[in-house]
């Protein structure tokens, strides 16, 4: 006795109804946590994540790039702004006064935030 396979109810729907079902099931694309913890979240969950469970910025990895003070200034950051960001922990640093280095990821993030805030 051979089994007869019948199409699922979905397959019997007209194209317009299939498209409507697909549109209903679509989710909003995720966004990255603004704190740079590496988590992708739906926009509706971002505030709760930042307020309650965000572990903060992830630590620099072994392949993270550190740039010199001169390179940071060449990126267009004023000297006073760079010092302010470093003093307030917005840009992580390593080394001492003569050879201080800045984490490129943090510096790039701060530059972009500053530029985007000026656009509005």
């Amino acid at each position: 006795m051979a089994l007869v396979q019948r199409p699922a109810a979905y397959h019997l729907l007209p194209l317009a109804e299939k498209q409507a079902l697909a549109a209903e099931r679509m989710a909003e694309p995720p966004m990255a946590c603004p704190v740079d913890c590496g988590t992708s979240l739906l926009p509706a969950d971002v505030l709760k994540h930042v307020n309650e469970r965000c572990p903060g910025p992830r630590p620099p990895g072994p392949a993270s790039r550190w740039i010199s003070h001169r390179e940071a200034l060449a990126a267009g950051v004023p000297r006073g702004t760079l010092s302010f960001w470093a003093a307030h922990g917005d840009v992580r640093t390593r080394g001492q006064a003569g050879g201080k280095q800045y984490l490129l990821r943090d510096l790039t993030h701060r530059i972009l935030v500053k530029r985007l805030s000026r656009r509005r």
Side-chain angles (χ1 to χ4, degrees):
M1 186 167 179
L3 291 175
V4 177
Q5 288 191 350
R6 297 178 191 246
Y10 173 83
H11 296 284
L12 298 175
L13 293 175
L15 180 60
E17 288 184 39
K18 288 179 182 177
Q19 289 174 335
L21 262 173
E24 285 177 18
R25 293 178 181 166
M26 285 180 60
E28 193 170 5
M31 61 183 283
C33 174
V35 181
D36 196 23
C37 71
T39 305
S40 290
L41 307 146
L42 292 176
D45 299 330
V46 171
L47 291 176
K48 186 173 184 176
H49 166 78
V50 170
N51 291 334
E52 296 176 8
R53 60 184 183 269
C54 184
R58 57 193 154 136
S64 294
R65 182 150 179 244
W66 296 84
I67 61 172
S68 68
H69 186 77
R70 181 174 290 162
E71 290 172 305
L73 294 176
V77 181
R79 186 180 305 270
T81 302
L82 186 60
S83 297
F84 179 84
W85 287 346
H88 286 87
D90 295 331
V91 174
R92 288 172 276 187
T93 62
R94 70 178 184 186
Q96 297 302 322
K100 187 177 274 191
Q101 293 182 317
Y102 302 87
L103 184 60
L104 181 60
R105 181 175 70 213
D106 290 350
L107 189 64
T108 303
H109 183 259
R110 291 301 308 161
I111 291 170
L112 290 174
V113 166
K114 189 173 182 178
R115 283 186 190 161
L116 291 174
S117 67
R118 274 194 234 142
R119 280 187 184 177
R120 296 183 176 145

